Amino acid sequence: MPWDDPRVFQLLSLILLGCGLMGLASRRTLLGMLISVELILNGAGLNFVLSDRFFHQPFPRGEVFTLFIMGIAASEAAIALGLILLIFRRRQTIDEGKLRELRG
Amino acid sequence: MIAEVIFWVTVGLVVLGALGATLSSSLIYAVFFLLLAMGGIGGLYVYLGSPFVAMMQVLIYLGAVGVLLVFAVMLAGPFWLRPKERGRFIKVGLGVALGTGVVIALYKGLRHHHWEAGPPHVSSAEALGRLILDEYPLAFELISLLIVMSILGAIMLGLLSKGRGKGDAMG
């Protein structure tokens, strides 16, 4: 069975990490970058669950950490979207290249 | 046989969703591709023997985060005022190089290791609950506190953004 091989899942979570990094570097709007961060967090969750399933522990610790990651991702998304809406209403843009007050 | 077909289709959906969420030039399509990838990962959690996490994935990511992202895309202005998602060529090239470089470097490390896979098992919600409340109560409480603080923070940001700034068309 293909799902008894950990390498399929490891490669998949690696692809998610790579796509997330790619989007984080190449997107121009804050929302696009937030979507990429969600991809990275999903890859991390998949990695935790697969290590829990394959490198068998008596207790499902990896799944517990995946649940924690989900909680953190949800609160992070809420805060980030509030910030994005605030920035958009004040500046009429969410282009990260135009937000440069903090540049040294 | 049918289970294998469904598995590979799910894997394909996750890869397609990840690539689409990264490379799509329209933000709303990127959000929908992201939802596709998240749903596919929920299906893979079932194959990994953790149905509770799969259910939580559907509830939290597809339900909560997906709706939040769709609303944010709709509220962040009309699409013709947004900057083009395709940035300068050097940025896209840098992103592609970074992503593929990390994937290739980590895959080289993974390939040569022999992974000893254990027998399949299905973890119950009861085991998860016992583990959370017996071994990680502090982390659990801290995450609850974090979620409450983020809700309060989101409300504060919503109040702050009301009717400020020049040219605020939304009142």
Side-chain angles (χ1 to χ4, degrees), chain A residues 1-12 14-29 31-32 34-36 38-39 41-47 49-50 52-57 59-79 81-86 88-90 92-96 98, chain B residues 3-4 7-8 11 14-15 18-19 21-24 27 30-31 34 38 41 44-45 47-50 52-53 56-57 60-61 65 68-69 72-73 75-77 83-85 87 91-92 95-96 98-99 102-103 106-107 110-111 115-121 123 127-128 131-132 135-136 139-140 143 146-147 150 153-154 157 160-162 164 166-168 170:
Chain A
M1 292 296 150
W3 54 87
D4 288 331
D5 187 7
R7 262 173 290 199
V8 177
F9 297 100
Q10 278 166 338
L11 189 60
L12 203 60
L14 207 55
I15 287 173
L16 285 172
L17 171 68
C19 283
L21 285 177
M22 195 160 88
L24 207 55
S26 67
R27 285 277 183 196
R28 285 190 65 193
T29 57
L31 267 171
L34 183 68
I35 290 171
S36 307
E38 293 290 334
L39 270 182
L41 287 174
N42 266 286
L46 184 65
N47 216 340
V49 175
L50 89 87
D52 180 54
R53 149 73 180 81
F54 288 110
F55 314 120
H56 49 121
Q57 299 190 354
F59 298 112
R61 291 201 170 81
E63 297 179 25
V64 171
F65 279 101
T66 303
L67 291 177
F68 288 161
I69 288 176
M70 282 181 191
I72 291 175
S75 59
E76 168 251 337
I79 285 292
L81 296 182
L83 281 175
I84 288 171
L85 286 188
L86 181 67
F88 176 72
R89 291 214 177 153
R90 292 200 171 180
Q92 307 296 315
T93 182
I94 49 171
D95 187 349
E96 50 91 23
K98 290 188 180 150
Chain B
E4 286 184 34
F7 176 76
W8 287 117
V11 171
V14 174
V15 174
L19 287 175
T22 313
L23 299 174
S24 163
L27 265 184
V31 171
L34 178 72
M38 285 170 173
I41 290 172
L44 290 181
Y45 284 159
Y47 277 97
L48 283 170
S50 44
F52 182 75
V53 181
M56 285 298 115
Q57 171 95 6
I60 295 177
Y61 276 126
V65 176
L68 265 178
L69 284 173
V73 171
L75 288 177
K84 285 257 186 297
E85 273 303 330
K91 264 185 102 173
V92 178
V96 172
L98 183 68
V102 167
V103 168
L106 289 177
Y107 181 68
L110 280 180
R111 203 181 43 184
W115 299 97
E116 193 73 40
H121 69 280
S123 58
L128 277 176
L131 201 59
I132 287 179
E135 286 196 32
Y136 303 107
F140 181 68
I143 285 188
L146 178 75
I147 290 177
S150 71
L157 289 174
L160 276 180
S161 69
K162 205 167 88 178
R164 294 274 187 85
K166 54 187 175 187
D168 192 347
M170 303 192 184

